[in-house]
Amino acid sequence: MLGAVTGCAAPLSTLDPAGPRASILANLWWIMFVGAMALFALLMVLLYASHRWQTAMQKLSPGQWIVAGGLLLPLPVLVALTVSALLIGEQFLARPADGSEPTRVIAAAERWQWTFSYPDVPGAATTDNLLHIPAGVPVLVEVVGRDVIHSFWIPRLGGKMDAIPGHTNTTLIEADEPGRYYGVCAEYCGVGHETMRFIVEAHPVDEFAAALGGEEQ
Amino acid sequence: MTGSTDTDGGVVAVRLHSQLESIWGTPGGWARLSAVNHNIVGKRFMVLALTFFSIGGILSMLIRAQLATPDSAFIGPELYNQVFTMHGTVMMFLFAIPMFEGFAIYMLPKMLGARDLAFPRLTAYGFWCYLFGGSILIVAMVLGYAPNSGWFMYTPLSSNVYTPGINSDVWLLGITFVEISAVTAAIEITVTILKMRAPGMSLDRMPLFAWYMLGTSGMMLVGFPPLILGSILLEMERAFDLPYFDPTRGGDPLLWQHLFWLFGHPEVYIIFLPAAGVLSTIIPVFAQRPIIGYRAIVVAIIAMAFLSFGLWVHHMFTVGIPHLALAFFSAASALVTIPTAVQIFAWIATLSYGKPRFEVPMLYVAGFFAVFVLGGLTGVMLAMVPFNTQAHDSYFVVAHLHYVLVGGFVFPMLAGLYYWLPHITGRLSVHRLSIPGFWLIFIGFNLTFFMMHLTGLMGMPRRISTYPSSFGWDWLNLLSSIGGFILTMGFALVLADLVLQTRFGKRQVRDPWDAATLEWATATPPPSYNFASLPHIDRRADQLKPKEAGPALATGAGYLGFSRGRQETLAVDMTTGRVEHLMVLPQRTYLPLLTALVTGVFFLSLLFKVYWLTPFAALAAVAMFCLWPAALGEKKDLGPIDIGNGEAVPSSEETHYNLTVMANITAVIVDATLYGSLLFGALYLLVVAPGWSETLSLAPPSPMLVLALVFSAAGTALAWLARKQTERGRNPMLVQGGACLSQLLAACLLSALAFTIPDLFTHARGAISFAILVYMSLHCAVAALISGHCVWRMRGGYVSARRQTDPRLSVIWQGYALACAVLGLLFVQLLAGVGGLQ
């Protein structure tokens, strides 16, 4: 739909996911969008009906309106939504299904650049504003802040995670296909905030170590 | 009624009016600066808030001009950062909160049937603090030193290291100065609603707006202290290098986020509830029937007030919080939809069962429904943690918050403006401007902000000053900017409409809308004393007949329909609404202005780091406050006083839980919340912050600390004893003086301890122990001051077995100081004892 229309020219669009996690989030959005539009339309119709179709509206007693609209309508929607969102969240925490350890990278944020290092690839040099990842497998990003708070965000690969000095946060990202993706700093960090972008290169798994100039583990 | 009695009534009403006006009125010229009347101060609040709204609006135009095209060089990032920080700050702190405060100040006494608010001078003091604090921010902006760390001031960005210079201090000190007005308003509104209603208006007869404001003010009492504490700590870190938030010295930047959002989320509901109160008042009038679901709405208000304190973490879903905690806050955020939905369906039901009449205010009510419902729906989406990780800090959130705040506050307030402006001006609106004005606002708003949902989903983070053309955001941003300018034209039309109405609107009679609440029983525009006599309420106060009641009250048919040369009004029992006592309110005075000026010197001395001046300014402000009660009180027991209608009640001095005592209890709640936030901060740092594992245990409890505790306990015991003796008819000045002295010694010991902490500047443990000790010491000093003041009042003859207000206050503050000291001692020892805990 909309994603298809706008996606091709939008390298940062969450509506044009390029990995399994971002896809789940985009699907969650579309489901919520359709539901929200239906609820919005319902309320607007009711508001109109309260002025124009009063005999129909008076089929429910005042008390019934409050119970139906205040409890019976929102409660199941909210419960279903909250529970499924939590299950998705659980899934995001989990390690890969086959029990393997995901590749680790460290994303260090400093005003106003990203420095990436690769503890799992011996001999790999650090890269500035350029993140190499293997495609088709989950990658565990350890996000650290070196000065103020920043936020690590590659919209097409997954949600964001804050880089907070004194804390180490982790998040999983994954790209389906090798290729080039884009990331930004999502937390305001001063005058260079908008310049703090980075490029993500996803390599086929067997070429990943070579791309870093390191040796296969 | 026959013609002749009508004329007699008219003569009586005019004579009564001129008598009351001579007592309650404020003369022109310089004397305006001494005004304390809620009619004047409420209007001042609203006009100033609208002025700040215009400033915030101009700033938003700069933002939209900058973002209209990619790679824009209109204003650079340095200026842009100041502009968006000030836009958020001005709209939240200088427009939204003061706007509804001003509205409540103006309207509550009229809806409740009182002649003024509980503490008129405090209202005026709050206004001056708002004006001066707000001016500090605006002047700083004009000079190019505006805050630039975003309106939620996340540290370390806002710290001394990354934002040297005065910018962050302007925010922390200016906003704290303004917050004084929020706290004073909250105390005053709470006490006024609970005690100053027309006789017969029990709690369950209150108009819904009063319930909404009671919920709001209750939330303000516990919502603002965490922010005030956070600002104090951050300013102490910036000014004196005490590490509360510095992760390299045992602090934690996340503590700021917790304190800020512990305020910041309730804040959203603090803004929404008064607006919802406006809707619950207006909708029944235009539906021409009483509201449906009065009780359900009251329950919904209370539920919202409580739930809103369990949501703050949903602003922090991406900071790395354990999944279980995320689940709790996500569920709580979704749950708050329920009380909102209850209200929305109560309104729809009211319209369905009524005979809706379409007038200009209803146009804005319809606008509210469309915009706010969309904002609520995106709010539910954002409450879902996984989706939040994509949408957070993107333009999707910008869209959401504007839909909620403009939909949930600006549209209802505009409806309220068109509904009540005839009350304020006595004139009707000019329709030819108000209807096109609405459509420009509605279309402009949706064009601006609906696009932003999409811009955000396409990956545009908030708070960036430029973007390259290659990201596909160009058209969306351009449309948003065009919408922004249409929106501004709409607001300009509304402004023109308001000015025209005050000048050329048709004069109208009492109650032009056939409303059923008490505020329309006053003359319009209202006289300074509101009601020439106070009504007796015998049914729910949103089903009255103001058109009939008004003229009768004007002739003095109700309570207090005469003048004794003093500003008299009535207080009732909190729940039943039975008349309880007579209050004599203080008359106009320059004290609030002068005290606020001295308070301003205090804040400016901190801002410009003239620290030698700070203690003198603080002492001067305290001394000024000590002058306030001099105008109050009685030197002899008066017994029951005639209030008309054959009834007599005691004066407030001879009443146990009078308004002064209640206000002090309310102030203790505010104060205790601040202390609670501080102790929460200490525990949070102890458990969560990095860099605590290598700290060493300190020495066992210092004997000085125990001695301070003993002095504090002795002071409290003496204050209690003094009150007991007063009750038996004695005048125990020595005992009360002993209470003062004892607590003063405790204060001195505690401050000596505070300044000898070893790791004060090197570790957050020392810094937070320091803050706790200073708080303890200050509160022992406050208790000493109140007891000392009590001695002074006893010497003046203001205290007797029946007039015990001052001894009661002494017991309250002494007891609170002792409680703080005990709790503080435990915490300081706990902090000293940790070492290698983590």
Side-chain angles (χ1 to χ4, degrees), chain B residues 590-611:
Chain B
Y590 293 96
L591 267 179
L593 173 60
L594 297 175
T595 315
L597 282 171
V598 176
T599 315
V601 173
F602 171 78
F603 279 103
L604 287 176
S605 73
L606 288 170
L607 185 60
F608 293 111
K609 307 199 183 304
V610 193
Y611 293 125

Side-chain angles (χ1 to χ4, degrees), chain B residues 75-94:
Chain B
I75 44 177
E78 286 88 357
L79 194 54
Y80 184 80
N81 295 346
Q82 294 192 16
V83 168
F84 79 71
T85 301
M86 282 299 285
H87 169 70
T89 304
V90 166
M91 288 304 198
M92 286 303 227
F93 294 101
L94 303 183

Side-chain angles (χ1 to χ4, degrees), chain B residues 113-141:
Chain B
R115 281 174 170 167
D116 206 326
L117 290 164
F119 308 103
R121 296 178 301 178
L122 202 61
T123 328
Y125 174 70
F127 173 77
W128 297 119
C129 289
Y130 165 41
L131 174 67
F132 298 154
S135 303
I136 290 179
L137 280 148
I138 301 301
V139 169
M141 180 175 76

Side-chain angles (χ1 to χ4, degrees), chain A residues 12 14 25 29 36 40 50 54 57-58 60 78 85 90 147 149 153 155 160 162 167 169 186-188 193-194, chain B residues 81 148 162 252 257 318-319 323 334 345 351-354 356 370 377 386 389-390 392-393 457-459 463 465:
Chain A
L12 287 170
T14 63
L25 296 177
W29 151 254
F40 178 71
S50 69
Q54 290 194 318
M57 294 294 280
Q58 289 173 6
L60 285 188
L78 292 174
E90 280 293 338
D147 42 29
I149 299 175
W153 190 26
K160 57 181 77 67
D162 290 355
H167 296 259
N169 286 329
E187 180 67 61
Y188 171 62
H193 175 44
E194 61 260 24
Chain B
N81 295 346
N148 54 3
Y162 300 102
D252 193 340
Q257 296 196 13
T318 62
V319 302
H323 195 244
F345 278 88
L351 288 167
S352 304
Y353 275 83
L377 290 166
T389 63
Q390 283 288 35
H392 178 69
D393 266 334
L457 289 172
M458 289 177 64
R463 300 175 166 183
S465 67

